Amino acid sequence: MNSSLDINILFAVMLLLHFKGASTELTKEVLAGMDVTLDCPFNKPDHVPLMKITVEWGIMLDEHTMKRVVYTFQNERAKVHREGSWVDPSRLLQGNASLHLFNVTVPDEGLYCCRVIVTPNTYKVSSRLEVSAQPIITLPETATVMEGEERTLMCDIAGFYPEKLTVSWLTQNGSRVAHGVCTGLATPNPDGTYSVSSLITVHAIAGPGDAMYICHVTHKSRPGHYSKAVWLTVQALNEPVFDAITLMAVTSVISVLLVFSIMGGALVLYRYIHTVLPSVSDIIKPSIIYAMKQTELKCTIKSVPKLRELKVKWYRKPANRDCTSASDNQSEPLMSQEDLSDQANIQSEGRHQVSILPICLSVKEDMSQYQCVVLYRGHKITRETTANVKVTPAFLQISSIPQIPKVEKSLVLCCRVEKFYPEQFDLEWTRNDGEKVGSVTNYGPFSDHECLYSVWSKIELVMAQEDERAVYTCRVYHSSFPGPGYKDALYHINTQGTPPSVMFINCEPQRPLLYEECTLNLCLKDFCPEQVSVTWFKEGQVVPASQVFNSPPSLNINGLYSMWTFLKLNPIPEDRSSDFRCRVVHSAQKKPEERIFTLSDLRPI
Ligand SMILES: *[C@@H]1O[C@H](CO)[C@@H](O)[C@H](O)[C@H]1NC(C)=O
Ligand SMILES: *[C@@H]1O[C@H](CO)[C@@H](O)[C@H](O)[C@H]1NC(C)=O
Ligand SMILES: *[C@@H]1O[C@H](CO)[C@@H](O)[C@H](O)[C@H]1NC(C)=O
Ligand SMILES: *[C@@H]1O[C@H](CO)[C@@H](O)[C@H](O)[C@H]1NC(C)=O
C-alpha cells in the first residue's frame, strides 16, 4: 500500500519534471516593445544551395492549423507578412532558420511553427511566444481633503497584458486598506492590452495631517510589484484652501511670457543675419486634414536678402463637391481662384520666413487646391497642393441581438461605422484575433446630407458551446485613422451577463450650500444586459421619482453599457447628516449593490 503510493508520487513528480522541462525549452517570454529571436535549427546537407531551401514561419491556431503566416522564404525571396520580421539568409546556409521579431506587440503572442523544406526532407520546430506589456500607472502625487470630508482617489492602470492583474491599496505602514476600495473590470484596448481603474474613498476623520496611500499592483510583466503613492493632506476647516489652480495659472502665464520674449529675441537676431539666395519649400500640410478643424498650410522661404521686397500670395481653387454623385469629376473648367493672401501671415523662424495660411475646411471643400506664390524682385515661384479632407467615424461599435447570447441559438453581431469621410473604407471581421469570419453582409455605405458616409456590417452565427469567451473583432480601415490606419471594435461573447461596476456617490458641488440645489451622482459602468434598476432612499424612505434622473444606458465600444443616475436636492437644515442610499439591481449580480452618501457638510450661504 505504502510503496504503491510512493511509486505514484514518484511517477507524478517525473511527469511534472518532464512537462516542466519541455515547456521551458519551448516557451519564450518577452516584454512588448522588445525584440526576440525564435530558434529553428535544421539539418542542411553541405551541397544544397539557398535556392533549394524553403522556410515558412507562422502562428498556429492549434498543432495542425495555421492561423497567420508571418514570414516566408522561397526561391531566394523573402515575403514579410508581419512587418519587422526577418530570417537571416546567410544563417540558412548554416542550418539555422531563426526568426527575428522586432518591436514585439501583444498580437504577436502565440504558438509559432517553423517549417523548413530541403527536398526531400521537411523539418518542423514549434515554440511558444508569450508577450507581456507593462502597465502605466497614473495616480496624483498629492491631494487634499477638508477635515471630516470624503475624498476619492483614482489609480489608473493602463496598457498591460495579460489581463490578470491585482491591485491593492496600502497605507504608509504597509497595512492593506480593506474598506472603501473599488476596482473595476479590466477593459480591453484596441492594441490588445488592458486597462483598469481602482478607486479608494478616504474619510478624513482625524484632524490636520498627512497620510500616504499606495496603489500596489502585481502583474506578470515584473517579478516584484509596481507601486505609486499619493500624499493626502487633511486640512482644518477654517484654513484657507491652498489653490493649486492659481499656482498653475501663474506658472503658465510666466512661461508664456518667457516663450514670447525668446521669440522676440530670435526676431531681433534675424534682422542682423543676411544670406543670398531665396528658395521656396513645397507647401507643408498636416498628414491628415480633419474637416471643421482649424489647421495650417505653410510655405517656407529660405534666404531672403531684402525682406521688404518679399511678397507671398495664397490662392485657392475651391472644389464644390456634390454629395449625391459618388465619383466627383472636376470636369468643369477651373473655377475662379480666390485670393486668400490677407488671411495669411508671415513669421520668422531662425533664418527662414514661413508664410502660414490658416484653413478650416468642410467636407464639401475636399480636394480644394491651394497655391502659394512667392514674389521677389520680379521673380515668381509657385507651389501647389491639394487638401484632402477626412472625417473619422463619429460612431464605431458592435451591438448584438440578443443582448445576451444563448448557446445553440442564433447570434447577430452588427458593427456600425457611422459618419466618416471619404467613402473608401475596408472592414474585416475576425474571431479570436486572426481567424477570418465569412458570410458578412454590409449595408451601405450610404451618405447623408452632410456628405458623410455610414456603413453597417452584419454577421450571423449559431452560438456553439466553445464560443463562450470568444472575441469577435470588427476592424475598420479608413484614411482618417492615424498610425496603423485602422480601429477595432471588440465583442466578448459572454452568456452570463456582466454586472455593473458601481462607483461611489459624488456630490456636485462638492460642498453643498444650504437651500442651494445640489446633485448626487453615481456611475454604473460596463454592464450587460442594459436593463438595470436604480432606487434612491433618503433615511430609508424611497425618494420620489420626480427628483431622480437616469441617463439612458449608453453602449460602450466593448458592447457593455454604462449609465449615470442623479438625485437633485435643495438641502434644508434638517438634511444635515441625512443618509442617502442608492440601490442597484441587475440580473447578472449575485446580490443587489448599495452605495451610501452622508450630507455631512452643509454650508450656510
Ligand atoms: C541561429 O542564429 C541566431 C542569430 O541569427 C542565433 O541567435 C542562434 O543562437 C542561432 N541558433 C543556433 C542553433 O545556432
Ligand atoms: C513599436 O510598436 C508600437 C506599436 O505598433 C509603435 O507605437 C512604436 O513606435 C514601435 N517602436 C519602434 C521603435 O518601432
Ligand atoms: C497602520 O496604519 C493604520 C492607519 O493608517 C492603522 O489602522 C494600523 O493599525 C497601522 N498598522 C500597524 C501595523 O501599525
Ligand atoms: C474624370 O473624367 C475623365 C473623363 O471624362 C476621366 O479620364 C478621369 O479619370 C475622371 N476623373 C475622376 C477623378 O473620376
Side-chain angles (χ1 to χ4, degrees), residues 126-260:
S126 308
S127 46
R128 182 168 291 282
L129 183 65
E130 285 184 4
V131 180
S132 50
Q134 297 188 308
I136 296 165
I137 302 174
T138 318
L139 179 70
E141 279 175 14
T142 57
T144 49
V145 59
M146 301 300 290
E147 194 179 330
E149 276 188 354
E150 259 182 13
R151 178 74 203 242
T152 300
L153 302 166
M154 182 168 88
C155 182
D156 196 38
I157 304 151
F160 58 87
Y161 184 87
E163 185 177 356
K164 188 172 177 313
L165 173 140
T166 54
V167 194
S168 51
W169 289 85
L170 308 178
T171 58
Q172 213 162 338
N173 60 19
S175 66
R176 203 181 150 120
V177 183
H179 298 288
V181 172
C182 170
T183 302
L185 292 175
T187 54
N189 301 317
D191 65 354
T193 62
Y194 290 86
S195 296
V196 72
S197 303
S198 182
L199 302 175
I200 184 170
T201 299
V202 181
H203 201 127
I205 312 165
D210 287 344
M212 187 195 258
Y213 289 91
I214 300 162
C215 175
H216 184 96
V217 175
T218 49
H219 186 247
K220 186 188 172 197
S221 56
R222 183 184 281 182
H225 63 264
Y226 300 87
S227 67
K228 243 195 173 152
V230 52
W231 272 103
L232 186 72
T233 306
V234 180
Q235 282 182 337
L237 273 178
N238 45 12
E239 220 175 51
V241 182
F242 173 67
D243 194 350
I245 291 171
T246 317
L247 185 73
M248 262 168 62
V250 169
T251 326
S252 42
V253 165
I254 289 173
S255 27
V256 165
L257 285 177
L258 215 74
V259 167
F260 274 120

Side-chain angles (χ1 to χ4, degrees), residues 557-571:
I557 193 162
N558 57 7
L560 302 175
Y561 292 84
S562 292
M563 69 170 277
W564 287 88
T565 176
F566 303 95
L567 172 64
K568 275 200 178 356
L569 308 168
N570 277 297

